[in-house]
Amino acid sequence: MDVSDILNNLNEAQRNAVTSESSHLLVLAGAGSGKTRVIAHRVAWLVQALDNSPHSLLTVTFTNKAANEMKGRIESMLGQEMADFWCGTFHGIAHRLLRRHWEEASLRKEFAILDSEDQYRVIKRVCKSMGVDEGKWPARQIQWYINKEKDECRRANQAESGDDYFVEQMTKVYEEYEQLCERESLVDFGELLLRSLILLSTNESLLSHYQKRFKHILVDEFQDTNEVQYRLLSLLKGKDSSYTAVGDDDQSIYGWRGAKSDNIDRFTKDFTKTEVVRLEQNYRSTQTILDAANSVIENNQSRMGKELWTEQKEGEKISVYSAYNEDDEARFVVGTIQSWMDQGNALDEVAILYRSNAQSRALEEAILRKELPYRIYGGQRFYERAEIKNAMAYIRLVYGRQDDAAFERVINLPPRGIGAKTLEIIRKKARDKNSSLWNAGSELVEFDELTARAKASLSGFMGDLESLSAEVDGLELKETVDHIIQRSGLIEYHKKEAGEKGRTRVENLEELVSAAGDFKSDNQEEDTPILKAFIDHAALDAGEDQAEEHESAIQLMTLHSAKGLEFPLVFVTGFEENLFPHRLSIEEPGQLEEERRLCYVGMTRAMEKLYIIYAEMRNLHGNETFNPPSRFLREIPPELTQEIRTGGAIGRKSYNSKGIVAQGEIPETDLVLGQRVVHEVFGEGVILNYEGQGANARVEVNFDSSETKWLMASYAKLRPI
């Protein structure tokens, strides 16, 4: 490729970024503005036009896939292999460094890398050797704490516990874990980065070697860097090196896992005379979608600022649908997708986005009813999630104690001191007696065939299940499931699991209660208990295979998972206060701004058509909530949106000579226009308007509280006065 060819098909801002001769360059790359192209072309420019050796370049990305694609694209442009070119993830680069300098890093030559699950098992081993009560200090919580400390560049002896006894205990485990890893030469992901930082910080000759080697350092997704990553990159830059940081402060959405959005601003302060190039031309979305996203994100105060624009068509307005509840929301989404298919479009062009994993449950059920293929991107289906399987195991044992698989799954979850040795004794007894594990356990307890400690733990577990069974006798299904989940200890167990993961697990368990409340058995056999029907329903749902990778399927995902993706048709569901923005973020300005960035990311996934949906009432996490539409919706100019109605003709308000709404029947219902009604939550009001008929009828009610709401007549339980 000729030098001039490298600049072909680049816009002016992209060319400025690619050819910049500044020592320090910050590329603020808006959504869909071609940032990956800029990095690849800049590397090619540095090699081809400025005659730099690939050996002198370091490019850092956040995923192995991105690194491989980047290197492949550069090699294709240059028509040569880049054997000496360091291009990889932070962890990949750190691993390469430690493999080369294992001795200086005080490691064995063949040190072992611990992935997340390996690390968890080692921490459990340490806890057991220390006699730590995992009921009080779960291994997952300690794992999160250790990784957080390493991300902040702190060893165990540097951890800040203050007067917090809980943190003090975790620090002690961190110290023991650190010593075990030293003895066995084990390196977890956080250690790869921290040890590399320490290695370079304490070895001047080695640091000088790499500072001289890497003349150009380029970093993608800079807004997602954490403390240890930022320090490591800063350390590697020599006095004659150039530094290119590419990122978007408006797409920094991973604060909950250590990313620091202010690292972009910090970069301009730490590296003087930084040139800033803004990539604002978007190649993905219509101008309407971009105008709406710009209007939302400009409400954030802590941003460097940019305005996305496109040469593409203005596009359709953003459709806003007010659903009655989550089931109406799901029905609307699926119905709209079916219409999309009828126009000859493919299912893999559709994405349904949600703030909380728990929201997928109602959406999945609506999709399954229509027998459409779908895939959970970056996650599992609702009934396949570990915490749901654990809760269902308790429910199955309450229904019938002879369920061996359920017994094994939760005998020590939450931890209650029943180890692998005790479980093996139970299994052996069951084999010898050709009985269930439950019966074998009962016999072992009755005839004192276990140690005193094991007997106490096992009898406690079995006694709790017997009590649970008695306590739920006669309760409705929803109350039964709720009581079992609460008494099982799973909620409290996962509340101790810090970060987004623990909160998500708790929300999913609460959503299982909602699922039980919504459940209606399709089984026509009257002698099938409702609890058994619910158990069977969950098993069948979990058994449904996700769509094959090659199969065109609807994509369901959290807003966090959607970053970097694009789809012609996008639904952003659950657009309500306390859900999106999340209730835990509303009081914290920094967290609220991250929620707004998440909204910006979600909206800019849409290429052609964007739907925003909120529910007037939502049964989520086991509770009915009545939240107003999200503040983010109010931040979108009204001229960019259109409110849509479903089904049938829309009724017209008709007033008599006294200014009172005239009477008029609403087809196939017992309601009429002008009728005074009462709602159990909103109180008394007057029916002003309607659309649709029968089961699909929606009515507009002006309540005496001055609120006017559209409600689904079949759900609202409006009572005439």
Side-chain angles (χ1 to χ4, degrees):
M1 175 182 283
D2 293 332
V3 171
S4 59
D5 292 337
I6 295 174
L7 303 181
N8 287 343
N9 302 317
L10 297 178
N11 63 40
E12 184 179 357
Q14 290 172 337
R15 282 195 297 273
N16 290 340
V18 167
T19 61
S20 173
E21 296 182 4
S22 300
S23 293
H24 312 310
L25 173 66
L26 173 62
V27 182
L28 281 179
S33 63
K35 67 177 178 61
T36 305
R37 171 185 286 190
V38 164
I39 297 174
H41 282 248
R42 181 158 174 77
V43 170
W45 178 263
L46 291 170
V47 173
Q48 192 88 335
L50 302 186
D51 202 28
N52 287 282
S53 165
H55 180 81
S56 69
L57 273 63
L58 170 65
T59 299
V60 187
T61 66
F62 266 79
T63 66
N64 288 313
K65 180 182 178 184
N68 292 332
E69 289 177 354
M70 178 83 68
K71 190 173 181 182
R73 185 183 294 196
I74 294 165
E75 289 178 339
S76 177
M77 276 194 289
L78 295 176
Q80 67 180 71
E81 287 192 10
M82 303 271 282
D84 292 331
F85 175 42
W86 279 33
C87 178
T89 64
F90 279 98
H91 294 104
I93 297 293
H95 176 241
R96 194 169 182 173
L97 189 69
L98 293 178
R99 285 290 179 204
R100 289 191 172 197
H101 306 287
W102 56 272
E103 197 165 13
E104 295 99 316
S106 302
L107 290 167
R108 296 178 197 163
K109 187 174 183 179
E110 300 303 325
F111 66 84
I113 296 177
L114 298 175
D115 65 18
S116 182
E117 283 307 305
D118 290 335
Q119 183 192 30
Y120 171 67
R121 283 191 286 271
V122 171
I123 291 171
K124 282 181 72 74
R125 176 152 56 104
V126 171
C127 289
K128 187 175 182 180
S129 70
M130 294 176 66
V132 172
D133 182 353
E134 198 176 338
K136 294 180 180 177
W137 291 278
R140 289 288 184 201
Q141 169 82 339
I142 296 171
Q143 181 182 27
W144 174 85
Y145 170 77
I146 291 172
N147 291 338
K148 178 179 70 70
E149 290 299 297
K150 290 190 178 188
D151 285 347
E152 291 295 328
C153 309
R154 290 193 288 262
R155 288 279 183 219
N157 61 2
Q158 299 168 316
E160 302 171 0
S161 60
D163 296 325
D164 191 323
Y165 178 66
F166 187 76
V167 175
E168 187 180 317
Q169 289 299 108
M170 289 195 292
T171 304
K172 289 179 181 177
V173 178
Y174 180 12
E175 201 168 344
E176 287 291 323
Y177 168 77
E178 203 170 55
Q179 291 173 10
L180 183 147
C181 288
E182 285 293 328
R183 288 195 305 270
E184 300 184 11
S185 209
L186 304 175
V187 179
D188 58 46
F189 285 172
E191 186 67 21
L192 284 170
L193 298 176
L194 181 54
R195 191 167 289 248
S196 295
L197 178 65
I198 293 171
L199 170 66
L200 294 175
S201 300
T202 57
N203 192 317
E204 288 187 19
S205 62
L206 197 63
L207 176 60
S208 177
H209 166 76
Y210 281 105
Q211 285 179 335
K212 289 175 181 176
R213 171 179 176 166
F214 295 130
K215 298 296 184 185
H216 300 278
I217 300 173
L218 303 94
V219 188
D220 193 12
E221 303 288 9
F222 197 82
Q223 77 282 349
D224 293 334
T225 53
N226 60 26
E227 184 65 23
V228 68
Q229 291 164 346
Y230 185 90
R231 287 198 200 177
L232 185 58
L233 290 167
S234 301
L235 195 61
L236 280 169
K237 197 201 84 63
K239 64 177 182 177
D240 297 322
S241 304
S242 83
Y243 202 152
T244 300
V246 182
D248 184 3
D249 54 341
D250 289 335
Q251 295 190 75
S252 180
I253 59 174
Y254 298 119
W256 49 274
R257 68 183 190 197
K260 295 189 172 181
S261 60
D262 62 352
N263 276 353
I264 284 185
D265 185 51
R266 182 178 172 187
F267 177 82
T268 62
K269 293 172 181 174
D270 289 352
F271 299 94
T272 56
K273 298 180 181 177
T274 297
E275 180 186 2
V276 178
V277 175
R278 287 173 168 81
L279 303 185
E280 298 175 301
Q281 184 174 355
N282 176 281
Y283 292 91
R284 176 189 298 152
S285 307
T286 65
Q287 191 61 54
T288 297
I289 292 169
L290 296 180
D291 287 345
N294 287 333
S295 296
V296 171
I297 200 63
E298 70 183 12
N299 288 277
N300 273 2
Q301 302 300 311
S302 55
R303 61 188 294 259
M304 298 189 71
K306 61 186 171 304
E307 191 84 4
L308 294 182
W309 61 275
T310 183
E311 291 181 344
Q312 298 186 62
K313 60 186 179 181
E314 182 178 342
E316 292 184 48
K317 288 186 176 183
I318 296 168
S319 295
V320 179
Y321 180 66
S322 170
Y324 173 66
N325 61 10
E326 73 278 4
D327 293 325
D328 184 28
E329 174 183 65
R331 280 196 299 269
F332 170 77
V333 169
V334 174
T336 306
I337 291 172
Q338 287 182 307
S339 298
W340 170 268
M341 290 171 59
D342 291 343
Q343 296 167 28
N345 297 301
L347 283 181
D348 56 9
E349 297 177 333
V350 181
I352 307 173
L353 312 182
Y354 36 81
R355 175 63 182 85
S356 166
N357 263 306
Q359 289 172 253
S360 78
R361 195 266 310 171
L363 293 162
E364 288 184 65
E365 291 187 354
I367 294 169
L368 285 170
R369 279 196 295 272
K370 295 298 183 181
E371 299 182 342
L372 296 175
Y374 74 98
R375 189 177 300 114
I376 304 289
Y377 183 88
Q380 296 172 303
R381 291 185 169 189
F382 183 76
Y383 285 103
E384 292 175 341
R385 294 166 189 161
E387 61 274 16
I388 300 301
K389 284 181 171 290
N390 295 338
M392 290 305 304
Y394 272 103
I395 292 167
R396 284 156 52 191
L397 283 173
V398 167
Y399 177 75
R401 248 62 94 225
Q402 310 305 310
D403 191 325
D404 284 356
F407 184 91
E408 285 208 41
R409 187 174 186 93
V410 297
I411 187 173
N412 200 41
L413 191 72
R416 50 177 62 87
I418 302 175
K421 185 177 179 181
T422 301
L423 183 55
E424 188 50 47
I425 293 171
I426 298 171
R427 289 194 191 107
K428 184 176 185 306
K429 171 69 75 172
R431 287 194 299 269
D432 293 345
K433 294 285 187 177
N434 194 26
S435 70
S436 67
L437 295 176
W438 180 273
N439 290 345
S442 299
E443 189 171 326
L444 288 166
V445 168
E446 183 180 355
F447 294 106
D448 287 329
E449 297 179 43
L450 296 170
T451 64
R453 182 178 176 183
K455 176 184 175 182
S457 298
L458 181 58
S459 61
F461 168 62
M462 299 178 76
D464 284 347
L465 277 165
E466 293 287 10
S467 298
L468 254 178
S469 185
E471 290 162 9
V472 300
D473 188 36
L475 294 181
E476 296 291 328
L477 177 62
K478 180 179 178 180
E479 285 70 33
T480 295
V481 171
D482 187 26
H483 190 74
I484 292 171
I485 289 174
Q486 294 294 339
R487 282 270 279 108
S488 69
L490 290 172
I491 292 282
E492 289 304 314
Y493 176 69
H494 289 303
K495 278 183 177 178
K496 293 176 182 176
E497 190 176 352
E500 187 84 1
K501 183 178 287 187
R503 188 172 76 190
T504 295
R505 291 192 194 280
V506 171
E507 289 178 346
N508 285 338
L509 288 172
E510 292 169 342
E511 182 60 17
L512 184 60
V513 178
S514 295
D518 292 344
F519 179 70
K520 293 178 178 62
S521 176
D522 293 329
N523 196 323
Q524 301 303 311
E525 297 180 24
E526 294 182 5
D527 60 345
T528 301
I530 188 70
L531 186 60
K532 172 60 175 167
F534 182 66
I535 291 169
D536 292 344
H537 163 76
L540 290 170
D541 203 330
E544 288 277 355
D545 292 330
Q546 292 213 40
E548 297 292 337
E549 284 301 316
H550 63 275
E551 184 179 6
S552 182
I554 303 166
Q555 306 290 310
L556 276 73
M557 66 192 74
T558 64
L559 284 149
H560 282 100
S561 298
K563 188 170 176 290
L565 304 177
E566 58 184 39
F567 303 91
L569 173 61
V570 170
F571 299 86
V572 182
T573 61
F575 226 72
E576 300 133 40
E577 287 289 296
N578 297 311
L579 179 57
F580 189 37
H582 197 280
R583 65 184 185 278
L584 298 180
S585 71
I586 290 175
E587 299 301 321
E588 285 286 335
Q591 291 184 23
L592 181 58
E593 291 210 346
E594 181 155 321
E595 290 286 296
R596 188 174 280 111
R597 293 194 291 268
L598 192 57
C599 179
Y600 172 83
V601 166
M603 293 173 71
T604 54
R605 299 312 94 194
M607 300 167 69
E608 298 172 13
K609 181 64 182 177
L610 174 62
Y611 285 85
I612 289 174
I613 309 167
Y614 65 91
E616 295 168 358
M617 185 276 283
R618 186 176 295 275
N619 193 346
L620 190 65
H621 315 325
N623 299 304
E624 285 189 354
T625 57
F626 297 85
N627 293 315
S630 170
R631 69 190 66 194
F632 302 148
L633 181 57
R634 299 194 297 273
E635 292 169 359
I636 300 173
E639 62 270 19
L640 300 178
T641 65
Q642 60 178 3
E643 188 175 353
I644 54 176
R645 304 292 183 196
T646 59
I650 298 178
R652 299 284 184 183
K653 297 178 187 178
S654 176
Y655 298 90
N656 62 22
S657 60
K658 295 183 179 180
I660 299 173
V661 180
Q663 299 286 318
E665 291 186 1
I666 299 173
E668 299 179 29
T669 73
D670 296 329
L671 303 173
V672 293
L673 288 174
Q675 188 176 36
R676 278 193 68 78
V677 292
V678 64
H679 186 277
E680 61 182 14
V681 173
F682 303 125
E684 295 185 14
V686 176
I687 298 177
L688 299 180
N689 200 355
Y690 78 92
E691 62 181 23
Q693 59 189 37
N696 294 319
R698 298 173 82 241
V699 295
E700 184 184 23
V701 183
N702 182 18
F703 290 101
D704 295 348
S705 61
S706 298
E707 286 186 288
T708 299
K709 289 187 172 290
W710 279 92
L711 304 172
M712 204 75 174
S714 56
Y715 285 103
K717 299 178 182 176
L718 296 172
R719 183 166 50 82
I721 299 177

